Amino acid sequence: MGEAIVSDLLTEILIPVAAVIGIAFALVQWLFVSKVKVVPERQGVPSSNNNNGLDDYLLAEEEEGGNEHTVAVKCAEIQNAISEGATSFLFTEYQYVGIFMVAFAVLIFLFLGSVEGFSTREQPCTYSKDKSCKPALFNAIFSTVAFLLGAVTSVVSGFLGMKIATFANARTTLEARKGVGKAFITAFRSGAVMGFLLAANGLLVLYISINLFKLYYADDWEGLFEAITGYGLGGSSMALFGRVGGGIYTKAADVGADLVGKVERNIPEDDPRNPAVIADNVGDNVGDIAGMGSDLFGSYAESSCAALVVASISSFGVNHDFTGMCYPLLISSMGIIVCLITTLFATDFFEIKAVKEIEPALKRQLIISTALMTVGIAIVSWLALPSSFTIFNFGTQKEVKNWELFFCVAIGLWAGLVIGFVTEYYTSNAYSPVQDVADSCRTGAATNVIFGLALGYKSVIIPIFAIAVSIFVSFSLAAMYGIAVAALGMLSTIATGLAIDAYGPISDNAGGIAEMAGMSHKVRERTDALDAAGNTTAAIGKGFAIGSAALVSLALFGAFVSRAAISKVDVLTPKVFIGLIVGAMLPYWFSAMTMKSVGSAALKMVEEVRRQFNTIPGLLEGTTKPDYATCVKISTDASIKEMIPPGALVMLTPLIVGTFFGVETLSGVLAGSLVSGVQIAISASNTGGAWDNAKKYIEAGVSEHAKSLGPKGSDPHKAAVIGDTIGDPLKDTSGPSLNILIKLMAVESLVFAPFFATHGGLLFKIF
C-alpha cells in the first residue's frame, strides 16, 4: 500500500503551526483596522460616555459637510449604542443557552453511560470484535467533554465575530468619506479577522482535543474518534440557538423599522427618527455575524468529525496511520494558508477605485481561493496519503487510491463555487431574475410576491444537481468518507467565505451609522454600494452553508447507519417509511415556528414604533429623540422566548424517535429531513435575497429601467419594500436555520447511536 511522504511528527507540527499562522494573520488585520484614524479626545469635545474602550474619537482627513468633531462624536456614540445592545443580547442569550448546554451534557453522559450499565470494564470493539475497547462509561465522559468544548468554541466564535463587527462599523463609515476603496478595505479586513479566527480556532481546539483524548485512549482509535463526534454536536447545537435567536431579533427589528418608517411614514432607511433603527443595526451583528459564525463553525466541526469517524475504522485507524488519519485536518490547515494568500489580493495587490469594482473584487476572492485550494488539495493528497489504502464501506473495506480522494475533495470545493455563482445569479440585481422581480412591482406587492416565490423555487434546480453530482462521484470513489471530505472541500476556504460574509453586515451597519450621524449624501451612496455588494455575497455564503450542510448531513447519516449496525435502509419497510415522511415534514414545522416567531415579534415592534410616532411630540420633525431602548428590549425578549420551541423540536426529535421507535425509523427521519430541508433552505434564502435586492435596485436607480420604477416612496418602491419585508424572515431566519436542523439531527443521532442500538425502539419491543 505504501506510506505517506509526510511523517507523523511533521503532521503534528504542521497542523498547529497553520492554526497559529491563521490567528496571527487575524490579529495583523485587526491592527490595520484599529489604525483607522483613532486620535485622543481633544479639548472642548464632549465625552461620549463610552463603555467599550472607545474613548478615543474616530476622525477622518476629509469631511464633506458638517463639523468633523461633531460627526466623529456622533459615530462613536452610535457605535457604542450598537455594541452595547449586541453584547447585552448575546450575554442574555448565552445565559439561557448555558443552562441548556449543562442539561444536555448530563443527558449525553446518562444515555451513553447506560449502554453497558455504567460499567468500567473493557468491551469488545464495535467493528473489530476480536479487540478490546475502552469502557462505555469513559466514552460517555469523553463525549460529554467534547460536546462542551464544541459548544464553548462555537459561542466564542460568534461572540468574537460580533465584537469585531461592532468595532469596525464606524471605522468603515468614516473611511467612506475618503473614498469607496478605503471603506472597502476596512470592512473586508474586519471580515477577515473573523474568518481567520474562527477557522484557526476551530482547527486548533479540535487538534488539541484529539491529542489530549489520545492520552487516555492510546490505541483505541475507534473509541477516541467516536467520542470526538461530541465536538460537532456541541458546535451545531449552539449554532442553532445563535441562528434562530439572532435571526428572530434582527428580523423583528428590521420588519418593524421598514413597515412603519419606510412604508407608513415615508422616511429613509436607518433614519435616526425611527425608534427601531438601533435594534435593526444591533440585529445585523447578532444574527448575520454571531449566528453565521457559529453556523459555519458547526459545519466545519461536523464535516471533520464525520470524516474522522469513518477514517478511524478504515486502514488509517486500523494501522494507526496518524498522518492519513489527520488528512481532514491537513486539508483545513492548507485552507488557512490559501485563504491568507487570497485575502492579500483584496487588501494589498489590487486597489478598488470605483463602486463598480466592489462586487468583482469579492467574486475574485471566491475564484482565486478555489483555484489555489485545488492545487493545495493535490499537494496534501500526494504528501499525506499512501498511494493506496482501504476505506470502511458498510461492513466491507473498499480500496482507494490517493488521487481518488483528491477528486472527492476537489469536487466538493468546485460544487461550492457553482452553488455560490448560481445563488449570485438569482439574487444579484445585475442579472435578469432580480430585475424581473423589480419590474413586477409596477402592478403592486402581490405580483412581486408571486415572482419572488417562483424565482426561489427555480433557483433550487442547479444547486441540487451540483450536490447530486458531488455525492455520486465522491461516494463512487471513496464511499461515505468521500462524501465527508467533499463537504470539507466545500468548507476548506471557510476563512475567505466568512470574510466575504461578515463584510456585508459591517457595510450595512456603516450605512446606518452614516445616515444616523447626518453625513453627506455622497458618503451614504458609497456605503450603500458596499452594502449592495455585501448583500449578494451574503446570499452566496448562505448557498455554501446549505450545500455543505447537505453533504455533511449525508456523511453523518452514513456514519450513524454504520454505528447503529443497520445493514440497509429499506424505504419499503413501514418502520423506515413512516420515519421518511415525518422527517420530510420537520423542516416545514420548523420553518412555521421561526416565521411565526418573527411575525409575532415584528407585530409588537410595529405597535411600539407607531406608538412613539403618535405620542412623542416633535419625533417626526427631528426635534426629539426616540426611545431606542424599548425597541431593543422588545427584540431581545421576543427572540429569547421564541428561540426555545424550534430548538427543542430539533434537539428532542432524534432522542424521542431513537428511544421509542428505534434506529430504522430514525434513519428514515434523517433521510426525509435532509431531502426536504435542503430544498426549502435554498428557495427561502434566495427568495428573500432576490426581494431585498429588487428593492435596492429600485432605490439605486442606476439604469433607465430602475429609474422608471423609482424614486423612493413611489408605488413600485412601496411594493418592493413589502416584498423585502416578507423575505426578511425567509432569508435571515428560517432559511439559514434549516441547514443547522439537518446537520444537527444527524450528528446528534450519531453521538447517541450506541444507546439507540442497545436500548432503542421501546414501542416496537412492547407491541
Side-chain angles (χ1 to χ4, degrees), residues 37 124 164 183 187 274 308 412 432 447 472 496 559 565 574 642 667 696 747:
K37 284 292 176 185
I164 292 154
N274 195 325
L308 290 168
S432 60
T447 42
F472 181 78
T496 295
E642 299 283 355
S667 66
K696 282 189 167 66
V747 74

Side-chain angles (χ1 to χ4, degrees), residues 58-60 62-68 70-76 78 169-177 272 510-525 527:
L58 307 149
L59 299 176
E62 302 169 27
E63 170 56 11
E64 298 149 353
N67 178 278
E68 66 173 27
T70 309
V71 170
V73 171
K74 274 186 182 175
C75 282
I78 296 160
N169 51 17
R171 285 171 162 80
T172 304
T173 307
L174 291 164
E175 284 292 271
R177 301 190 295 181
I513 291 170
E515 184 73 43
M516 285 185 274
M519 288 183 160
S520 66
H521 182 61
K522 193 177 277 189
V523 173
R524 182 72 220 221
E525 274 184 352
T527 56

Side-chain angles (χ1 to χ4, degrees), residues 14 17-19 21-22 25 29 188 192 195-196 199-200 203 329-347 349 364-380 406 409 413-414 417 488-497 499-500:
L14 287 174
V17 164
I21 288 170
F25 185 72
Q29 296 301 311
F188 191 80
F196 281 92
L203 176 64
L329 302 187
L330 288 165
I331 291 289
S332 301
S333 304
M334 178 61 79
I336 290 172
I337 306 303
V338 163
C339 290
L340 191 154
I341 297 164
T342 307
T343 301
L344 297 176
F345 280 91
T347 57
F349 299 160
R364 204 160 45 230
Q365 285 285 297
L366 292 172
I367 295 164
I368 292 168
S369 62
T370 304
L372 290 177
M373 193 63 207
T374 307
V375 177
I377 295 163
I379 293 168
V380 172
F406 158 74
V409 185
L413 177 68
W414 284 92
L417 191 69
L488 205 64
M490 208 177 272
L491 291 163
S492 58
T493 53
I494 189 173
T496 295
I500 294 169

Side-chain angles (χ1 to χ4, degrees), residues 1-6 8 315-316 319-324 381-390 399-402:
M1 285 195 177
E3 285 187 10
I5 295 169
V6 174
D8 288 357
S315 62
F316 300 138
N319 302 331
H320 296 100
D321 174 5
F322 187 72
T323 301
S381 302
W382 175 52
L383 295 176
L385 295 173
S387 56
S388 73
F389 42 90
T390 61
E399 188 164 326
V400 179
K401 302 276 193 293
N402 57 3

Side-chain angles (χ1 to χ4, degrees), residues 212 371 718:
L212 289 176
K718 284 183 177 175

Side-chain angles (χ1 to χ4, degrees), residues 36-51:
V36 173
K37 284 292 176 185
V38 181
V39 296
E41 188 178 321
R42 297 188 185 182
Q43 210 169 359
V45 178
S47 170
S48 69
N49 187 27
N50 196 321
N51 296 325

Side-chain angles (χ1 to χ4, degrees), residues 28-312:
V28 168
Q29 296 301 311
W30 179 78
L31 281 173
F32 277 122
V33 173
S34 65
K35 280 181 181 174
V36 173
K37 284 292 176 185
V38 181
V39 296
E41 188 178 321
R42 297 188 185 182
Q43 210 169 359
V45 178
S47 170
S48 69
N49 187 27
N50 196 321
N51 296 325
N52 268 346
L54 295 166
D55 295 321
D56 298 335
Y57 289 104
L58 307 149
L59 299 176
E61 288 163 7
E62 302 169 27
E63 170 56 11
E64 298 149 353
N67 178 278
E68 66 173 27
H69 272 292
T70 309
V71 170
V73 171
K74 274 186 182 175
C75 282
E77 284 176 350
I78 296 160
Q79 180 195 44
N80 185 42
I82 293 168
S83 182
E84 280 183 355
T87 306
S88 168
F89 168 73
L90 286 182
F91 273 129
T92 308
E93 181 184 67
Y94 293 156
Q95 283 169 17
Y96 285 86
V97 167
I99 296 165
F100 156 79
M101 197 162 75
V102 172
F104 206 76
V106 171
L107 212 59
I108 291 171
F109 173 72
L110 292 175
F111 271 61
L112 295 186
S114 67
V115 171
E116 295 287 334
F118 298 97
S119 166
T120 53
R121 290 195 312 274
E122 291 204 342
Q123 55 187 344
C125 295
T126 307
Y127 300 99
S128 307
K129 298 291 183 188
D130 55 325
K131 292 180 183 174
S132 289
C133 283
K134 299 295 181 187
L137 179 66
F138 288 96
N139 285 348
I141 292 168
F142 281 98
S143 293
T144 306
V145 171
F147 168 78
L148 292 170
L149 278 171
V152 169
T153 311
S154 181
V155 163
V156 168
S157 299
F159 188 76
L160 283 177
M162 181 279 295
K163 294 305 280 184
I164 292 154
T166 53
F167 179 77
N169 51 17
R171 285 171 162 80
T172 304
T173 307
L174 291 164
E175 284 292 271
R177 301 190 295 181
K178 299 178 187 177
V180 74
K182 298 272 189 189
F184 171 81
I185 286 179
T186 303
F188 191 80
R189 281 193 197 280
S190 309
V193 176
M194 180 187 177
F196 281 92
L197 272 183
L198 189 143
N201 282 342
L203 176 64
L204 194 59
V205 174
L206 180 57
Y207 178 74
I208 291 169
S209 304
I210 290 168
N211 279 287
L212 289 176
F213 283 22
K214 222 164 72 170
L215 296 175
Y216 169 74
Y217 278 98
D219 289 343
D220 178 13
W221 285 18
E222 184 187 302
L224 163 61
F225 291 102
E226 191 174 296
I228 283 289
T229 54
Y231 184 72
L233 175 59
S236 249
S237 53
M238 295 306 105
L240 175 71
F241 290 107
R243 261 294 193 199
V244 174
I248 293 168
Y249 186 109
T250 182
K251 292 304 113 182
D254 199 358
V255 170
D258 283 358
L259 279 181
V260 184
K262 287 198 283 194
V263 177
E264 293 180 10
R265 298 288 173 167
N266 213 17
I267 59 175
E269 189 164 358
D270 295 317
D271 193 293
R273 293 171 289 176
N274 195 325
V277 74
I278 292 288
D280 186 7
N281 282 284
V282 168
D284 291 336
N285 294 291
V286 298
D288 296 345
I289 297 274
M292 176 192 62
S294 293
D295 179 4
L296 283 176
F297 165 76
S299 287
Y300 163 76
E302 284 165 328
S303 58
S304 301
C305 290
L308 290 168
V309 165
V310 179
S312 69

